[in-house]
Amino acid sequence: MLIIKDKTFVPFITADAIQARIQELASQINRDYADRQPLIVGVLNGSVLFAADLMKHLTIPCEITFIRVKSYTATESTGELKQILGLSEPVEGRDLIVVEDIVDTGLTICDVCNQLRAQSPASLAIATLLFKPAALKKPVDLQYVGFEIENRFVVGYGLDYDGLGRNTPDILVLAS
Ligand code: XMP
Ligand code: MG
């Protein structure tokens, strides 16, 4: 059990299950990219542990970089868009694998991918540790998914509640 401020979180996905699944995802990526040299793009802060554990099991030659996304309000009526910060590597012609902690509504990953696609990569794939299909608001093509989960708030292993709780090896869920 984990108490953060006013909320109680209970065990959900164990560290062992997370690590086993990450090894499977890495094996899949190693097979799929056997003849390519992808650029792994981790989305901070949430993906930091997932990206680190995933890359330990990649045996293909690959480069790794991190970006942050910053919310800003669009001038049109499209709602809130995310601006990519910190990407200094050229993306054109590269095989990108965007690494996220969680796809919830899908709005963040869609914004990020649209902006990356505008820079003409050779290919773009998404690896997300968690996916909440019931929360999805925009269709998104996910190539590597760790766990599909129900629409409940989770913390741990990179995911936070109000900035806290990222530093656990397990994932916990808000007690109902
Ligand atoms: P979406 O897909 O809705 O996700 O654009 C945006 C970001 O929101 C965070 N997020 C969560 N963080 N527990 C968390 O700790 C959750 O259940 C959760 N759902 C979404 C996450 O940073 C994601 O990138
Ligand atoms: Mg995130």
Side-chain angles (χ1 to χ4, degrees):
M1 202 175 80
L2 176 70
I3 295 173
I4 305 176
K5 298 186 174 175
D6 55 330
K7 301 270 190 284
T8 301
F9 295 88
V10 294
F12 190 54
I13 307 176
T14 65
D16 284 351
I18 294 169
Q19 294 303 322
R21 186 68 187 122
I22 289 175
Q23 288 195 29
E24 291 176 355
L25 294 179
S27 302
Q28 226 178 313
I29 292 172
N30 287 331
R31 282 195 300 274
D32 294 349
Y33 289 82
D35 55 356
R36 287 181 283 175
Q37 200 166 304
L39 174 62
I40 313 286
V41 182
V43 183
L44 293 174
N45 294 330
S47 79
V48 66
L49 296 186
F50 175 41
D53 284 336
L54 184 69
M55 67 176 78
K56 287 180 207 164
H57 300 290
L58 295 179
T59 52
I60 46 168
C62 59
E63 286 173 64
I64 295 147
T65 191
F66 289 92
I67 57 170
R68 274 175 184 275
V69 288
K70 177 175 169 245
S71 297
Y72 63 93
T73 308
T75 48
E76 298 159 45
S77 60
T78 45
E80 202 174 70
L81 288 173
K82 311 277 177 174
Q83 184 185 3
I84 295 179
L85 300 179
L87 184 66
S88 46
E89 290 77 1
V91 156
E92 191 179 340
R94 299 300 308 268
D95 292 296
L96 305 181
I97 305 177
V98 179
V99 176
E100 255 289 24
D101 53 352
I102 187 164
V103 174
D104 190 303
T105 62
L107 298 176
T108 304
I109 199 75
C110 281
D111 276 353
V112 168
C113 291
N114 287 342
Q115 289 179 50
L116 291 173
R117 281 197 191 96
Q119 299 179 48
S120 308
S123 67
L124 191 159
I126 299 168
T128 185
L129 181 64
L130 303 176
F131 173 40
K132 292 183 185 174
L136 203 62
K137 288 190 179 159
K138 266 190 176 179
V140 52
D141 204 9
L142 303 173
Q143 284 69 34
Y144 306 99
V145 175
F147 301 91
E148 283 193 10
I149 61 168
E150 54 199 293
N151 193 4
R152 294 171 68 190
F153 190 78
V154 290
V155 296
Y157 195 72
L159 293 137
D160 70 300
Y161 168 55
D162 216 5
L164 297 170
R166 294 191 197 275
N167 51 308
T168 69
D170 309 301
I171 293 171
L172 301 100
V173 67
L174 184 62
S176 45

